[in-house]
Amino acid sequence: MSDDFNMSMRKFLKQVGVTSQQAIEEAMRNAGDTSGRKFEAKVVLTVDGLDLEHTVTGTIEGQS
């Protein structure tokens, strides 16, 4: 893979990670006290023009 490809991939993934974390943190703040709760999370990644659908699931623990 080329350096340009790797850089564009890393830039995209960094944007996904940062903006996703910000969205989750805001939702948690808006939800109030979530201590003791667990939230099932799912991300579905698709890429136009490629036959790609990638799903990542996980659990996020609440906070007070």
Side-chain angles (χ1 to χ4, degrees):
M1 301 284 162
S2 72
D3 287 343
D4 289 341
F5 169 78
N6 286 333
M7 288 301 292
S8 66
M9 174 81 71
R10 287 177 184 218
K11 183 178 178 181
F12 172 74
L13 292 173
K14 182 176 180 178
Q15 181 181 6
V16 168
V18 169
T19 59
S20 297
Q21 182 175 350
Q22 291 169 342
I24 293 167
E25 288 173 349
E26 181 178 358
M28 292 292 238
R29 280 193 299 275
N30 291 339
D33 184 3
T34 59
S35 57
R37 295 174 60 190
K38 293 185 179 183
F39 300 90
E40 298 302 315
K42 176 171 72 170
V43 173
V44 180
L45 172 69
T46 60
V47 178
D48 292 342
L50 298 177
D51 184 21
L52 172 65
E53 182 172 306
H54 176 72
T55 303
V56 177
T57 60
T59 303
I60 299 171
E61 295 188 18
Q63 62 180 6
S64 57

